[in-house]
Amino acid sequence: DAGVTQSPTHLIKTRGQHVTLRCSPISGHKSVSWYQQVLGQGPQFIFQYYEKEERGRGNFPDRFSARQFPNYSSELNVNALLLGDSALYLCASNVTPLGNEQYFGPGTRLTVT
Amino acid sequence: ELKVEQNPLFLSMQEGKNYTIYCNYSTTSDRLYWYRQDPGKSLESLFVLLSNGAVKQEGRLMASLDTKARLSTLHITAAVHDLSATYFCAVDINQGAQKLVFGQGTRLTINP
């Protein structure tokens, strides 16, 4: 079975631009979470979605938004990119929001110049 | 606000030795996770600890959870080079959403 997939793998953007990152959960998983991992730090929770509804939001500015589609895939959007947004963005899927384990995808490495 | 602290943050050890990584957290939770991350890679799940006193072992790694002390440990027995990686603990505060709060990570280097 395929695991969590994310695209693109790497991305380079300029300050002020917009970016969209994509995630497809494991088949049968209905919950998707997004995390940001800055180099040298632990991941930080951004959003969790379940059945297309936002279930949780971390301490991130409104420039960050996300949505989940009927097929449970998800997009993370970041507007007005800052240098500090450079990070590895990880998507995790779970059967339900309160399931015992999240399964992480390979991540998207975003570099903002 | 939940804080998760790991120590040590950096650990260099020789093959064959034993060592323990500690994970302290600041608020009540009965779900704790350990992950491994290799450079430039994603997170690999190692252990899911769901109750006080839970102990799980896989190969040379053993994890335990003491919810009363708000402490989890990851013990490495007879370390081998392949275990070199960064190890994260994460606590689930579970406020209607599965929000994991991660520690800073412990970068483990095992020297031959």
Side-chain angles (χ1 to χ4, degrees):
Chain A
D1 286 343
V4 178
T5 60
Q6 292 186 243
S7 63
T9 305
H10 296 89
L11 201 53
I12 300 175
K13 290 286 191 178
T14 304
R15 277 177 296 177
Q17 287 188 317
H18 163 90
V19 69
T20 298
L21 310 181
R22 296 178 175 83
C23 171
S24 292
I26 293 171
S27 177
H29 286 196
K30 298 181 178 180
S31 176
V32 171
S33 299
W34 288 95
Y35 291 81
Q36 180 197 64
Q37 187 179 22
V38 174
L39 193 63
Q41 298 181 19
Q44 282 196 292
F45 175 81
I46 310 175
F47 288 108
Q48 185 182 57
Y49 275 77
Y50 176 64
E51 297 280 12
K52 298 181 289 179
E53 298 285 331
E54 181 184 302
R55 293 294 298 267
R57 184 185 184 109
N59 188 23
F60 279 81
D62 291 343
R63 299 185 296 108
F64 289 77
S65 64
R67 56 179 176 168
Q68 186 177 32
F69 299 99
N71 66 354
Y72 305 112
S73 66
S74 177
E75 284 183 353
L76 176 69
N77 295 284
V78 187
N79 291 324
L81 285 167
L82 303 174
L83 294 179
D85 295 330
S86 296
L88 180 67
Y89 288 84
L90 296 165
C91 172
S93 79
N94 203 337
V95 177
T96 69
L98 302 181
N100 286 342
E101 188 167 0
Q102 295 187 42
Y103 296 85
F104 283 84
T108 293
R109 173 74 62 187
L110 172 65
T111 302
V112 182
T113 63
Chain B
E1 181 183 341
L2 171 64
K3 292 186 178 180
V4 180
E5 295 185 345
Q6 290 181 232
N7 72 83
L9 298 183
F10 298 91
L11 178 57
S12 180
M13 54 193 293
Q14 287 189 318
E15 281 190 327
K17 300 292 186 182
N18 303 333
Y19 211 82
T20 301
I21 299 171
Y22 297 89
C23 174
N24 290 91
Y25 54 99
S26 62
T27 194
T28 302
S29 175
D30 57 3
R31 292 182 174 207
L32 190 135
Y33 304 81
W34 284 95
Y35 291 92
R36 167 182 172 148
Q37 187 174 42
D38 292 301
K41 303 294 185 181
S42 186
L43 299 172
E44 174 190 352
S45 178
L46 295 175
F47 300 108
V48 180
L49 303 170
L50 299 177
S51 61
N52 185 41
V55 177
K56 291 195 174 181
Q57 183 165 4
E58 180 72 34
R60 301 175 187 274
L61 302 178
M62 183 174 70
S64 65
L65 177 62
D66 182 343
T67 59
K68 294 179 181 177
R70 299 178 185 170
L71 170 69
S72 180
T73 61
L74 179 66
H75 186 74
I76 303 154
T77 302
V80 294
H81 179 70
D82 286 351
L83 291 179
S84 296
T86 299
Y87 293 85
F88 291 96
C89 64
V91 176
D92 183 0
I93 63 174
N94 206 357
Q95 296 174 331
Q98 191 178 45
K99 174 181 175 180
L100 297 185
V101 179
F102 284 80
Q104 314 96 305
T106 297
R107 182 178 292 183
L108 174 63
T109 303
I110 300 171
N111 304 303

